[in-house]
Amino acid sequence: MTKPNARAKPSHRVPKSEAGYHHGELQEALIAASEAILAEQGAEGFTLREAARRAGVSPAAPSHHFGNAQGLLTEVAIRGYEALAGALRDAASRRQGAREKLHAQGMAYVEFALKHPGRFQMMFANKRLVADDARLVQASRAAGHEFEIIIAELVGGTAKEAKTAAAAAWSTVHGFAKLALEGKFGPVRSEAGHREIMTTLNRVLNYLWPASSAPPSADRGLKAP
Amino acid sequence: MTKPNARAKPSHRVPKSEAGYHHGELQEALIAASEAILAEQGAEGFTLREAARRAGVSPAAPSHHFGNAQGLLTEVAIRGYEALAGALRDAASRRQGAREKLHAQGMAYVEFALKHPGRFQMMFANKRLVADDARLVQASRAAGHEFEIIIAELVGGTAKEAKTAAAAAWSTVHGFAKLALEGKFGPVRSEAGHREIMTTLNRVLNYLWPASSAPPSADRGLKAP
DNA sequence: ATGTATATCTTGACACTGTTCAGATTGCGG
DNA sequence: CCGCAATCTGAACAGTGTCAAGATATACAT
């Protein structure tokens, strides 16, 4: 009636047809906007309204595609797990030998966390996701599976032993990434800090998974009893 | 004028003098209320207004004591770190031998996280705290120091080596705790799930820090090259 | 004891947030 | 070309954290 075509004000850009009541690719636009927010503001800075704003759409629009904020973030987390799995697979494929592959995967895991802190934190913020979503669970397991593949190569013995070793490897790199992101290992935002953290991780991995040819107890400097 | 003494409605209880405009122990009451919320609802469920409500006080009252919500949560986190440091110290004191002490500390760390998930998560949610608060940083370092003490006993060699080993130990147990809380190792709320997680952790610790007398590479089942 | 200063708490407001619902608009299959 | 389902808007609601002004209680000096 009074204002037939007054779009709020495209804060960044409305991606497709200019004169649209219908967006056309709103799902993708919302996911991209959410990832942008996570990259700029971190996990705590995400807001459904801000995502809608960046997609050039009303605050109620996302609900028709994702139900609620958790649904949208679940989709973002799924893609995050897929990207993480890809990074792990890629890192392993570039090395030879199980220990070198595992080592590279650990570095890639933390590298991913440091490069995409917001996405990474959100991927493990179950209360903000639809934690029992089948695709999310599947994507998370697929990422963990990348570790288990290499561990199975490295470790002989029963499946239970392999599972224990995989849990150990995942826990270590995950904990290191989390602690690094919270600044427990020094500043993380500067390039210098980033490098120092990665060399610290390198030392940690060499300590926990030493070269199998050398006697590990000597490598670790354990006191002789 | 119209309502001289209309207290909102003490949702749980107002701890001290009944007819008070002045609370008397508001700081402690707010901290206790916050810890209760974290215990019941988890870190995401915390709300400054709810904490004020439980303390029987207006939403603006906390600002006079803690500045803002971050200030209150910082105080809660400090006490959390102190409790964690105490648990670690206690666990180590009950064992003999560096490896046994470290093992017990790792178990105590995860036990603490599983028993107080909300507090634990909040302690590592830097964006919700005053991350550079001197007392917070000090409390966090003191907790980490409990690990370093035992690691120094276990590991000979330079200080850098000890620091690497401490980072490795902390990362492993922290990552395990975080992943466990996000359900990656199975259900955590049931008593059975809790026990199963702790036995998994036990295996992980035995895998990464095997008994020093036995050859570690054999303990881990590494394939012979 | 008395008055004044300071600490403490309330009231009311503001700008946000996520979500819901009725209605407007669009595109698509018949 | 028409009806229907999908899509999006507008307005509203209950909550949130925070702030400024004012009311009240305690403490302290005289």
Side-chain angles (χ1 to χ4, degrees):
Chain A
M1 307 299 190
T2 53
K3 11 180 225 172
N5 193 5
R7 193 160 289 243
K9 168 172 65 170
S11 64
H12 282 182
R13 50 182 152 170
V14 280
K16 273 268 170 168
S17 61
E18 274 296 339
Y21 187 93
H22 195 13
H23 188 116
E25 293 179 345
L26 187 50
Q27 287 101 331
E28 292 303 319
L30 284 170
I31 291 171
S34 301
E35 288 177 342
I37 296 172
L38 293 180
E40 295 169 19
Q41 319 255 15
E44 310 285 335
F46 171 84
T47 277
L48 182 61
R49 286 180 111 103
E50 173 66 15
R53 231 170 278 146
R54 296 199 184 200
V57 104
S58 89
S63 74
H64 297 277
H65 295 274
F66 300 100
N68 52 19
Q70 292 190 359
L72 171 54
L73 288 175
T74 298
E75 206 61 40
V76 171
I78 288 172
R79 306 206 175 192
Y81 275 116
E82 289 170 352
L84 176 58
L88 294 179
R89 188 167 26 236
D90 191 63
S93 72
R94 294 177 188 282
R95 304 297 171 111
Q96 289 206 343
R99 199 197 80 99
E100 285 72 19
K101 284 175 185 283
L102 181 64
H103 193 102
Q105 275 194 339
M107 299 289 283
Y109 191 96
V110 175
E111 186 73 37
F112 180 91
L114 295 188
K115 269 195 175 176
H116 317 286
R119 255 200 300 179
F120 182 77
Q121 304 270 37
M122 192 62 83
M123 286 161 57
F124 294 93
N126 260 355
K127 294 224 174 128
R128 307 193 63 180
L129 311 175
V130 184
D132 56 353
D133 178 278
R135 288 171 50 240
L136 177 64
V137 172
Q138 149 66 18
S140 171
R141 287 202 180 141
H145 189 59
E146 295 298 325
F147 271 118
E148 294 171 4
I149 292 172
I150 307 302
I151 286 284
E153 254 184 84
L154 182 65
V155 175
T158 72
K160 181 190 280 186
E161 278 181 17
K163 206 145 200 218
T164 297
W170 192 13
S171 293
T172 300
V173 294
H174 185 75
F176 188 93
K178 279 283 191 180
L179 292 173
L181 288 179
E182 301 297 340
K184 304 293 185 185
F185 297 145
V188 63
R189 304 206 62 170
S190 74
E191 184 57 38
H194 185 112
R195 269 200 304 270
E196 190 176 335
I197 285 176
M198 292 307 288
T199 73
T200 300
L201 172 63
N202 195 37
R203 278 198 285 267
V204 165
L205 292 176
N206 280 326
Y207 170 79
L208 288 180
W209 283 272
S212 53
S213 55
S217 62
D219 271 23
R220 294 198 199 177
L222 287 178
K223 275 185 185 173
Chain B
M1 309 303 183
T2 53
K3 18 181 217 169
N5 192 5
R7 192 160 292 242
K9 167 174 63 172
S11 62
H12 284 180
R13 52 182 150 172
V14 281
K16 273 267 171 167
S17 61
E18 274 297 339
Y21 187 93
H22 193 14
H23 187 116
E25 293 179 347
L26 187 49
Q27 288 102 330
E28 291 304 319
L30 284 170
I31 291 172
S34 302
E35 289 177 341
I37 296 172
L38 293 179
E40 295 169 20
Q41 319 255 15
E44 310 284 335
F46 171 83
T47 278
L48 181 61
R49 286 181 113 102
E50 173 66 14
R53 231 170 280 147
R54 296 198 183 200
V57 106
S58 89
S63 74
H64 298 276
H65 294 274
F66 301 100
N68 52 21
Q70 291 189 1
L72 171 54
L73 289 175
T74 298
E75 207 60 41
V76 171
I78 288 172
R79 307 206 175 192
Y81 276 116
E82 289 170 353
L84 176 58
L88 294 179
R89 187 167 29 236
D90 191 63
S93 72
R94 295 179 188 281
R95 305 297 170 109
Q96 288 207 344
R99 198 196 81 100
E100 285 71 20
K101 284 174 185 283
L102 181 64
H103 194 102
Q105 275 194 339
M107 300 289 284
Y109 191 96
V110 175
E111 187 72 38
F112 180 91
L114 296 188
K115 269 196 176 173
H116 316 285
R119 258 202 297 179
F120 182 77
Q121 303 271 36
M122 191 62 83
M123 285 161 58
F124 294 94
N126 260 356
K127 296 226 172 126
R128 307 194 62 179
L129 311 175
V130 183
D132 57 351
D133 178 278
R135 288 172 49 241
L136 177 64
V137 172
Q138 150 66 18
S140 171
R141 286 202 180 140
H145 189 60
E146 296 298 326
F147 272 118
E148 294 170 4
I149 292 172
I150 307 302
I151 286 284
E153 254 184 83
L154 182 66
V155 175
T158 72
K160 180 190 280 186
E161 278 180 17
K163 207 145 197 218
T164 297
W170 192 13
S171 293
T172 300
V173 293
H174 186 75
F176 189 92
K178 279 283 192 179
L179 292 173
L181 287 180
E182 300 299 340
K184 304 292 185 185
F185 297 144
V188 62
R189 304 206 63 173
S190 74
E191 183 58 36
H194 185 113
R195 269 200 305 269
E196 190 176 337
I197 286 176
M198 292 307 288
T199 73
T200 300
L201 171 64
N202 196 36
R203 278 197 285 266
V204 164
L205 292 176
N206 280 328
Y207 171 78
L208 288 179
W209 283 273
S212 54
S213 55
S217 62
D219 270 25
R220 295 197 199 175
L222 287 178
K223 277 183 182 173

